């Protein structure tokens, strides 16, 4: 991060690099967030397969978060900027710039993974995603409205609400046949936990954004997130261990242990761009990425006989359109505040 010089500055004005426009920064923020969403769909496939082969979803979640934490701790040992960022985050906590609850975003991430392990086998991945998307988009409106994210307050405009509703409708439409075919109020009731997990993700992104801004390092925000989430998941797994015991063995495929690495990328990107595009638009963009990623996986790496369907393609198009609608209803930031 560049710092202002105390000495004279005789350089002509033409030597100063142009500041990116608000629209340019928002565009790149959306592109990065969609890319992170692509990674989330891959992570879901990896973690789901690991949980199935282990026969212990809670332990699979610990492997995912714990593996990411170990990678971050290793990088902390060799990265001076990350150590500087960690010290800056601690200093911000002591000074009151960061509040203690800003360090608890990882609980939402852990809840998401744990909720997935507890409900996906009962309601399916698609319906789980509907619950998460609904919670994330609705919560994102309130998080932005209250100004919980580092970008400050965002207006709850008609366009932003419409974008959120379009995204929920896109994902719901993609699984409408599944819900109608397997009616059962019990399956719908199980959406409460995914909804709560999705609502927590919006808060998580806001809190991680604060930590990343104070630390000047998105990887520091990821470290805080993975530390909190791993502690929560280990406690949950200890309860599971007391009830079910240890699994019989560990899968030998090393790819199944890379979920944590994908999670690091997602958290780092989200904490970095949330101050550019706000919590709601970040959520919509990552959801669009998840839909596109799911479409690619179903087309080229189908699992369990589930291939690409027309409804999935349509849902991707509607979700991508929703991003544009929501972005039109966002706050226009003055060009002079682009350095924030």
């Amino acid at each position: 991060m560049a710092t202002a010089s105390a000495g004279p500055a005789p350089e002509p004005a033409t030597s100063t690099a142009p500041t990116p426009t608000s629209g340019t920064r928002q565009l790149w923020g959306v592109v990065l967030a969609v890319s992170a969403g692509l990674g989330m769909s891959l992570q879901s496939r990896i973690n789901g397969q690991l949980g199935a082969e282990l026969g212990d979803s809670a332990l699979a979640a610990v492997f995912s978060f714990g593996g990411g934490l170990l990678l971050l701790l290793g990088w902390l040992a060799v990265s001076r900027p990350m150590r500087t960022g960690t010290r800056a985050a601690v200093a911000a906590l002591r000074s009151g710039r960061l509040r203690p609850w800003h360090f608890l975003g990882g609980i939402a991430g852990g809840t998401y993974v744990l909720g997935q392990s507890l409900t996906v086998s009962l309601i399916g991945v698609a319906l789980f995603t509907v619950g998460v998307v609904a919670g994330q988009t609705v919560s994102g409106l309130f998080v932005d409205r209250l100004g919980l994210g580092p970008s400050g307050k965002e207006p709850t405009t008609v366009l932003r609400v419409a974008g959120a509703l379009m995204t929920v409708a896109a994902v719901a439409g993609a699984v409408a046949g599944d819900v109608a075919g397997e009616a059962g109020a019990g399956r719908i009731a199980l959406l409460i936990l995914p909804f709560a997990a999705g609502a927590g993700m919006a808060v998580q992104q806001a809190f991680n954004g604060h930590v990343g801004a104070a630390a000047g390092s998105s990887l520091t925000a990821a470290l805080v997130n993975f530390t909190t989430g791993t502690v929560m998941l280990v406690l949950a797994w200890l309860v599971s261990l007391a009830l079910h015991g240890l699994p019989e063995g560990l899968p030998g495929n090393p790819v199944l242990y890379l979920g944590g690495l994908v999670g690091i990328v997602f958290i780092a990107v989200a904490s970095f761009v949330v101050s550019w595009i706000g919590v709601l638009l970040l959520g919509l963009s990552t959801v669009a990425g998840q839909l596109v990623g799911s479409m690619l996986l179903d087309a080229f790496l189908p699992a369990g006989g589930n291939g690409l369907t027309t409804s999935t393609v349509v849902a991707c198009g509607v979700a991508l359109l929703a991003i544009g609608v929501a972005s039109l209803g966002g706050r226009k930031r003055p060009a002079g505040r682009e350095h924030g």
Side-chain angles (χ1 to χ4, degrees), residues 119-129 178 186-188 190-191 194:
T119 63
V120 164
S121 62
L122 299 174
I123 65 176
V125 176
L127 199 54
F128 176 84
T129 303
D178 176 66
R187 281 168 56 85
I188 302 301
L190 286 172
L191 284 172

Side-chain angles (χ1 to χ4, degrees), residues 229-247:
T230 299
V231 170
M232 191 211 82
L233 287 171
V234 167
L235 293 175
W237 175 67
L238 290 175
V239 174
S240 173
L241 178 63
L243 296 175
H244 306 108
L246 289 169

Side-chain angles (χ1 to χ4, degrees), residues 181-211:
E182 299 183 36
R187 281 168 56 85
I188 302 301
L190 286 172
L191 284 172
I192 294 174
L193 183 55
F195 183 92
M201 285 182 67
V203 179
Q204 175 197 36
Q205 290 160 355
F207 287 178
N208 287 346
H210 278 289
V211 176

Side-chain angles (χ1 to χ4, degrees), residues 137-259:
T137 51
V138 172
S139 178
L141 286 172
F142 289 101
V143 167
D144 276 345
R145 177 67 176 175
L146 295 173
L148 297 182
S151 62
K153 292 184 178 181
E154 294 279 357
T156 307
T157 64
V158 173
L159 288 175
R160 287 169 65 81
V161 173
L165 293 177
M166 285 173 64
T167 307
V168 175
V171 183
V175 297
D178 176 66
V179 174
E182 299 183 36
R187 281 168 56 85
I188 302 301
L190 286 172
L191 284 172
I192 294 174
L193 183 55
F195 183 92
M201 285 182 67
V203 179
Q204 175 197 36
Q205 290 160 355
F207 287 178
N208 287 346
H210 278 289
V211 176
S217 168
S218 57
L219 286 177
T220 296
L223 176 62
V224 171
N225 183 87
F226 272 78
T227 299
T228 307
T230 299
V231 170
M232 191 211 82
L233 287 171
V234 167
L235 293 175
W237 175 67
L238 290 175
V239 174
S240 173
L241 178 63
L243 296 175
H244 306 108
L246 289 169
E248 296 181 358
L250 299 178
N253 186 354
V255 175
L256 298 180
Y257 300 95
L258 297 181

